[in-house]
Amino acid sequence: MPFRAEEREPVFSPEELASAARGCPALAEAAKLAEWVGPGRPLTARGVLKPAAAVEACDLLGIELPTRKPRSALDIDQLMLAWFTAAAAGFVEVERGRAAAGAALETWAEGTADEVLAVWTRCTMECFGLAGEAGDPDAELLDGLAVLYERGGTISLDDLSEDIARGLSAGTPGCACPSCSLATGLLEDLAGATEAGGEIVEALAEFGVAALHGDTAELTSLGRWLTDFLFRRNAPAAGADAAALVAAVAALPDRIAALMARPWLSARAPAEAAAELISAGESVSGQQRLAALALARECGPDAAAAWREWAGDEGFGSYARIWLAEQDGTEPAETDLAWTAADALAVLQDTLAPDLPPQALSGLLHDEAGAELAEILPLLAGTGHPAADRLAKLLPVPPMAGLPGGPPPAPDAPVPPAAVRPDARYQIKVALRDVTKPPVWRRLEVPADLDLGQLHEVIQIAMGWENCHLHAFSAGGAEYGIPDQGLGHADERAVRLSQLLAEVGDRLDYAYDYGDGWEHDLTLEKILPAEAGTTGAICTAGKGACPPEDCGGPYGYQELKAILADPGDDEHEGMLEWLGLASPGDFDPHAFSAEDANRRLDQLTGPRLRIVR
């Protein structure tokens, strides 16, 4: 069927689209999985198929497994993709620990063309992160879709990759202001590198949206229908106010936001549209402000009158003055650049601070902005920006050792000086977080001047871990571990325990195995005098057996204990086999022996870890 590119309107029949939808690999596999689920399958406490059922499902779908005894269905990526797709389509419904085929499965098989297309659209939108509970939109997939749409439905893979990379890294086209160069650049760096064009097309092809013909990507009939639905028919109404438009598109990649805003922008003269958007940008903050101003820039030079109206504003007017300077070919004022930089950095801090310690955030900002920050910092206090004070406190901190662009970890990394005598001993409690019935903890006596690398070894041995995963200590916003450019940890060997714990009650966090997420709380309970003849680590008390490695963290460990305690559980025998146990009685979550822990600690050698008794 033809495609009227000038109108952006596919003319495929509903029957043709429904047939294509039923044939797309992702939903065909999801439907097959749902038919197998049938009237009901029991699920684990984490809401996925039990291991034995997961193996059966993989056989059904032709998924090869490295082992016939997987620990969890969550470890099988291809199966989980099919499971998520089935749930998004409504082919599978979950209730009270059981999954059953959903009503949408019958619609998919016997419904009208319009009903089938509605199921496909809902599922695809959710899997692309545009609906439901899927989370943030998939920037690379959506940008690839937008490029194909803008290019009339066909493009070479090389051009597709270049366009996507340009769109994800360039910020607002033609804009040199710090709010674009800092905010957009850093957020996209954190999101990860752009996938190759071929990989994006393959992902789109799973949902029947695109096809690959040699080195050329092409929108399918479904892809043309979907892009028209997204970028034209599903765009914010032309009569909506600017605030509603901005709220609707602020979370989307720039290219997608611009496409969806076209009907709204086309319904207004450039100066009128820009005036509404700039006013909306002044009244909001964060990413919505940046989105509003990016759309205002889409209005082009004919919107100059709107920008001039804001040029007299002391703070927010910096955006207008920078825009006007660009039109005149002159250099923007440094104070204006500093104000917009502060605005962008405040957005970044508000976005990233919940997930990053201040020192790591500072390192990322320095790595991204580098020389620009050096110019901005002296001007920051005089900008009058509401966030200037908190940014000034954050930004002077040098990049954390080990972060990209930061200095390599140094043995003399600056840390607080020791506040106790080097020959003192500490009584510390190491407690495993979120593990109960029974809790798991150890009370240790250790030299106060242990470095954190040695403390890591003591904790591993006393707890009963096998030291086969990554770890890190954290205190005061800084992280210490094995120095590595990719991990961003300061060198744990350069820091003494007494430099981080100086007073009774002080605490230190210790994380082990980032996959399972075992978090430990270290608390200084007592500062002890040195004892003649005792120079190493001693375990004086404790409770609870150490969980098995790779059992899924606190939640997985809770599930493991429940399975072992229930001989009727479908996973009971498989779990015994995975643990290498003959009977459930061989595993005692309460088991702990200070003598055994000290016997293992006796084997730990080092300049200050010789156990003398």
Side-chain angles (χ1 to χ4, degrees):
M1 295 294 289
F3 176 66
R4 297 197 293 271
E6 69 279 3
E7 299 179 19
R8 299 289 188 191
E9 184 178 353
V11 291
F12 302 96
S13 71
E15 290 73 22
E16 186 177 1
L17 292 171
S19 176
R22 287 192 176 107
C24 78
L27 273 85
E29 190 170 73
K32 189 175 183 180
L33 179 62
E35 290 171 356
W36 169 82
V37 168
R41 298 272 177 173
L43 303 177
T44 69
R46 303 176 80 174
V48 297
L49 291 170
K50 296 189 174 184
V55 171
E56 188 178 341
C58 287
D59 290 341
L60 172 80
L61 300 177
I63 299 172
E64 295 186 7
L65 294 173
T67 173
R68 302 298 292 177
K69 295 289 185 181
R71 181 177 60 85
S72 169
L74 291 168
D75 297 333
I76 310 171
D77 292 342
Q78 191 175 346
L79 176 61
M80 291 311 301
L81 175 61
W83 185 259
F84 177 79
T85 304
F91 294 166
V92 168
E93 296 176 353
V94 175
E95 184 177 2
R96 296 179 182 178
R98 291 184 66 83
L105 184 61
E106 183 176 351
T107 301
W108 185 252
E110 302 177 8
T112 66
D114 286 340
E115 290 173 334
V116 169
L117 192 56
V119 170
W120 177 87
T121 303
R122 181 180 66 247
C123 176
T124 302
M125 293 274 283
E126 183 163 348
C127 290
F128 287 5
L130 290 171
E133 301 178 357
D136 294 332
D138 189 313
E140 287 83 5
L141 281 184
L142 292 176
D143 223 50
L145 198 60
V147 170
L148 280 163
Y149 177 73
E150 289 183 301
R151 293 295 193 98
T154 305
I155 189 174
S156 72
L157 287 182
D158 287 344
D159 288 345
L160 177 64
S161 297
E162 286 183 14
D163 273 17
I164 293 172
R166 191 181 305 117
L168 290 180
S169 63
T172 302
C175 178
C177 75
S179 63
C180 292
S181 61
L182 294 181
T184 304
L186 179 55
L187 286 173
E188 296 302 348
D189 284 347
L190 292 176
T194 304
E195 296 181 55
E199 294 176 349
I200 291 175
V201 176
E202 289 176 3
L204 293 172
E206 284 294 309
F207 292 87
V209 171
L212 191 59
H213 304 291
D215 63 351
T216 300
E218 182 178 7
L219 283 177
T220 64
S221 58
L222 278 173
R224 295 175 186 271
W225 185 90
L226 179 66
T227 51
D228 180 72
F229 173 80
L230 284 176
F231 305 138
R232 191 172 67 86
R233 288 184 285 159
N234 198 46
D241 61 33
L245 169 70
V246 169
V249 303
L252 298 173
D254 285 348
R255 196 195 311 264
I256 308 299
L259 279 174
M260 295 188 71
R262 279 183 184 175
W264 190 94
L265 293 170
S266 299
R268 293 159 177 77
E272 177 190 358
E276 291 186 44
L277 288 164
I278 297 170
S279 179
E282 193 276 337
S283 64
V284 296
S285 60
Q287 192 60 40
Q288 288 197 26
R289 171 177 286 181
L290 301 184
L293 293 167
L295 291 177
R297 285 179 164 271
E298 292 284 323
C299 299
D302 292 339
W307 292 99
R308 289 193 191 99
E309 289 184 11
W310 286 93
D313 188 272
E314 287 188 8
F316 180 76
S318 296
Y319 285 106
R321 291 188 290 276
I322 289 173
W323 187 92
L324 291 168
E326 291 170 5
Q327 309 311 303
D328 296 337
T330 59
E331 288 293 324
E334 288 186 344
T335 52
D336 289 334
L337 292 174
W339 198 94
T340 56
D343 211 34
L345 292 170
V347 173
L348 290 174
Q349 186 181 19
D350 291 342
T351 302
L352 303 174
D355 304 315
L356 291 175
Q359 194 172 0
L361 177 60
S362 174
L364 287 168
L365 295 179
H366 277 272
D367 179 52
E368 178 63 26
E372 289 184 67
L373 279 183
E375 297 175 4
I376 291 165
L377 283 175
L379 303 172
L380 197 59
T383 62
H385 194 283
D389 288 344
R390 63 181 167 105
L391 288 170
K393 294 176 182 177
L394 172 72
L395 294 174
V397 181
M400 182 184 291
L403 283 174
D412 56 351
V415 291
V420 297
R421 288 181 46 169
D423 60 348
R425 291 177 61 79
Y426 279 173
Q427 176 180 300
I428 61 173
K429 183 177 181 180
V430 182
L432 193 54
R433 198 178 300 168
D434 299 323
V435 175
T436 59
K437 298 181 180 179
V440 178
W441 57 269
R442 306 288 183 262
R443 180 165 286 120
L444 305 171
E445 290 184 10
V446 298
D449 68 338
L450 279 185
D451 68 53
L452 296 188
Q454 293 170 313
L455 179 61
H456 156 70
E457 296 183 57
V458 170
I459 293 171
Q460 286 285 311
I461 291 174
M463 291 295 296
W465 296 120
E466 298 175 15
N467 200 13
C468 54
H469 296 286
L470 294 173
H471 71 278
F473 293 91
S474 58
E479 291 193 348
Y480 308 91
I482 297 173
D484 183 279
Q485 286 291 93
L487 296 176
H489 298 155
D491 191 346
E492 64 185 9
R493 297 164 301 182
V495 185
R496 307 291 182 191
L497 179 59
S498 59
Q499 292 173 289
L500 299 179
L501 303 184
E503 298 180 2
V504 171
D506 284 354
R507 295 176 62 175
L508 179 66
D509 294 331
Y510 172 74
Y512 172 62
D513 186 354
Y514 296 160
D516 277 5
W518 299 109
E519 299 285 345
H520 304 68
D521 294 315
L522 277 70
T523 306
L524 176 56
E525 294 184 320
K526 292 181 181 179
I527 299 176
L528 308 170
E531 294 183 19
T534 303
T535 59
I538 304 171
C539 181
T540 61
K543 189 171 186 179
C546 185
E549 295 273 359
D550 302 317
C551 71
Y555 193 93
Y557 184 42
Q558 178 182 347
E559 186 177 16
L560 177 150
K561 289 186 288 186
I563 291 170
L564 290 179
D566 181 7
D569 192 289
D570 292 345
E571 300 178 55
H572 184 79
E573 292 300 324
M575 188 63 74
L576 286 175
E577 183 176 344
W578 181 71
L579 291 169
L581 302 178
S583 70
D586 293 335
F587 177 76
D588 180 6
H590 295 269
F592 167 72
S593 167
E595 290 76 12
D596 288 344
N598 283 315
R599 191 175 302 113
R600 296 191 299 270
L601 286 169
D602 280 344
Q603 301 172 14
L604 188 61
T605 60
R608 295 182 314 283
L609 284 175
R610 293 187 297 273
I611 309 299
V612 181
R613 290 195 262 279

